[in-house]
Amino acid sequence: MASLADRVRGNGRIAAGLLLNLLVSICIVFLNKWIYVHYGFPNMSLTLVHFVVTWLGLYVCQKLDIFAPKSLPPSKLLLLALSFCGFVVFTNLSLQNNTIGTYQLAKAMTTPVIIVIQTLCYKKTFSTKIRLTLIPITLGVILNSYYDVKFNFLGTVFAALGVLVTSLYQVWVGAKQHELQVNSMQLLYYQAPMSSAMLLIAVPFFEPVFAEGGVFGPWSVSALLMVLLSGVIAFMVNLSIYWIIGNTSPVTYNMFGHFKFCITLFGGYVLFKDPLSINQGLGMLCTLFGILAYTRFKLSEQEGSKSKLVQRP
C-alpha cells in the first residue's frame, strides 16, 4: 500500500514538473518573441543573461538553504558546459542559415539521435513500440514545416551539428546527475557560471557587445525590465529541464518538447493571429497522437517492470 502511495506521489511530482515546464516554456517563447520584435535584443546575449540570472537565482536558493552545494571537479562538467554553448551557437547558426521549416525538421531529429546515443554509448534499450512512436511525431513535424523546407550545404552542416550537440547535451544532463550523485540544482549551480563564461567569449564573434544593439549597449528601462523578467522565467525553465531529465529521461523530455511545439504553434495562432494551414493542423494532431502513444507505452512498460520487481522473491 505504501509502495502504491509512493508511486502516486512520484507520478504527481513528475506531472507537476512537466506542467511547470510547459507553462514557463510557453511563457518564455512569447516573452522572448516580444523582446526580439519590440526591442531587438540580440539572441545569444539574451541566452547569456538567462544563464547569469539562473546562477544568481541558484546562489540565492543555496543561501536560503533550499539546497546544499556539492563540491564538483570542474573537469567533470567541462564537456557539459561546452555542449551547452555548442547547442546555443549551432542552433542559432542553423536558424540563421536555414528556413524555419528546415530548422524545425532538424530539431525533430534530436529524439532519434538521443535514442541512438543512449543505445550505443549507454547500452540502454528501447522497445519496438517506443521506437515506432517516432514515426507519427516526425511525420507531424514534416507536415507542419514541409512547405518551408529548403536545403543548402552550410545550413545543413550547422543543422546537423546542432542536432548532434543538443542530443549529447540532453543525454549528459541526465547522465551527470546520476554519475555525480547530484540533483538538478546542484548540477546547474556549477554548470551555469561555466557556460556563462564560455558564452561571454563566444558572443562577440556573433553579436555586438558595447555598440548600439549589444548586450552592454544603451537600452531603455522597459527593455531591461523585460529582459530581467525573461531571465527569471529562464531560471525556472532551466531548473525544470534538469529536473525532468534527471527524474525521467532525455527521450521523455524530448517527447514533451514536441508537445510544447504544438501548443506554441496553436498559441501563436490564437494570440498573434499567426496563419495556421490545414496541413499544420493535421501535423499537430499527428504529433500529439505519437506523444500520447509514447506516454501510454512508457507508462505500461514502467508498470510492467515494477510488477516484476514486486513479484521477485
Side-chain angles (χ1 to χ4, degrees):
M1 208 54 192
S3 120
L4 177 61
D6 288 342
R7 260 184 289 171
V8 170
R9 275 196 297 270
N11 289 337
R13 281 195 297 269
I14 289 171
L18 290 170
L19 180 60
L20 172 65
N21 182 263
L22 173 66
L23 293 175
V24 293
S25 295
I26 291 172
C27 184
I28 202 167
V29 166
F30 292 119
L31 179 58
N32 287 352
K33 183 174 181 178
W34 177 273
I35 290 170
Y36 297 144
V37 170
H38 292 274
Y39 300 110
F41 202 87
N43 190 300
M44 281 181 64
S45 298
L46 187 61
T47 305
L48 173 60
V49 171
H50 287 173
F51 255 69
V52 170
V53 174
T54 294
W55 180 77
L56 291 173
L58 288 167
Y59 181 77
V60 171
C61 286
Q62 67 97 6
K63 286 296 182 184
L64 295 174
D65 294 325
I66 294 173
F67 76 99
K70 186 175 179 179
S71 182
L72 300 173
S75 59
K76 293 281 187 182
L77 298 176
L78 185 61
L79 282 177
L80 182 65
L82 275 171
S83 65
F84 169 77
C85 293
F87 141 65
V88 172
V89 170
F90 287 126
T91 298
N92 279 291
L93 286 172
S94 174
L95 191 55
Q96 286 173 18
N97 290 275
N98 288 307
T99 60
I100 296 294
T102 308
Y103 170 76
Q104 291 292 355
L105 187 59
K107 277 183 71 176
M109 295 302 105
T110 303
T111 311
V113 172
I114 285 174
I115 288 177
V116 170
I117 291 172
Q118 288 197 303
T119 301
L120 296 179
C121 302
Y122 294 89
K123 308 304 177 190
K124 189 174 173 64
T125 56
F126 296 89
S127 67
T128 303
K129 286 189 293 187
I130 292 291
R131 290 198 298 267
L132 286 175
T133 60
L134 294 176
I135 295 173
I137 289 171
T138 306
L139 180 61
V141 174
I142 291 171
L143 281 171
N144 266 310
S145 54
Y146 85 96
Y147 64 92
D148 195 33
V149 173
K150 293 172 186 171
F151 293 102
N152 66 79
F153 178 74
L154 190 60
T156 303
V157 169
F158 287 139
L161 288 171
V163 169
L164 178 61
V165 177
T166 301
S167 302
L168 285 170
Y169 174 66
Q170 292 186 11
V171 169
W172 285 341
V173 164
K176 288 295 180 184
Q177 288 187 56
H178 294 289
E179 176 194 333
L180 302 172
Q181 292 297 295
V182 291
N183 61 32
S184 52
M185 282 187 157
Q186 290 169 326
L187 182 62
L188 197 50
Y189 182 71
Y190 281 95
Q191 191 240 310
M194 288 180 70
S195 293
S196 299
M198 291 174 184
L199 270 181
L200 190 59
I201 295 169
V203 162
F205 292 98
F206 299 94
E207 298 172 353
V209 178
F210 294 101
E212 188 172 344
V215 64
F216 295 116
W219 294 100
S220 66
V221 174
S222 61
L224 292 174
L225 286 174
M226 293 298 278
V227 168
L228 181 61
L229 177 61
S230 177
V232 172
I233 296 172
F235 164 62
M236 292 186 279
V237 171
N238 289 327
L239 199 56
S240 60
I241 288 172
Y242 273 54
W243 188 88
I244 290 166
I245 292 176
N247 287 272
T248 57
S249 71
V251 175
T252 297
Y253 171 71
N254 242 263
M255 292 292 183
F256 189 62
H258 295 306
F259 175 69
K260 287 189 292 186
F261 169 67
C262 291
I263 296 294
T264 304
L265 202 65
F266 184 70
Y269 170 71
V270 173
L271 298 175
F272 295 98
K273 306 303 178 188
D274 290 343
L276 189 68
S277 68
I278 293 173
N279 281 335
Q280 287 176 307
L282 289 172
M284 285 168 59
L285 290 174
C286 200
T287 301
L288 288 171
F289 171 76
I291 293 164
L292 289 172
Y294 171 83
T295 305
R296 184 176 180 278
F297 295 148
K298 192 71 177 174
L299 289 173
S300 176
E301 287 180 6
Q302 286 175 348
E303 288 300 318
S305 62
K306 284 171 184 173
S307 299
K308 286 177 185 175
L309 286 172
V310 170
Q311 291 169 8
R312 191 176 294 170

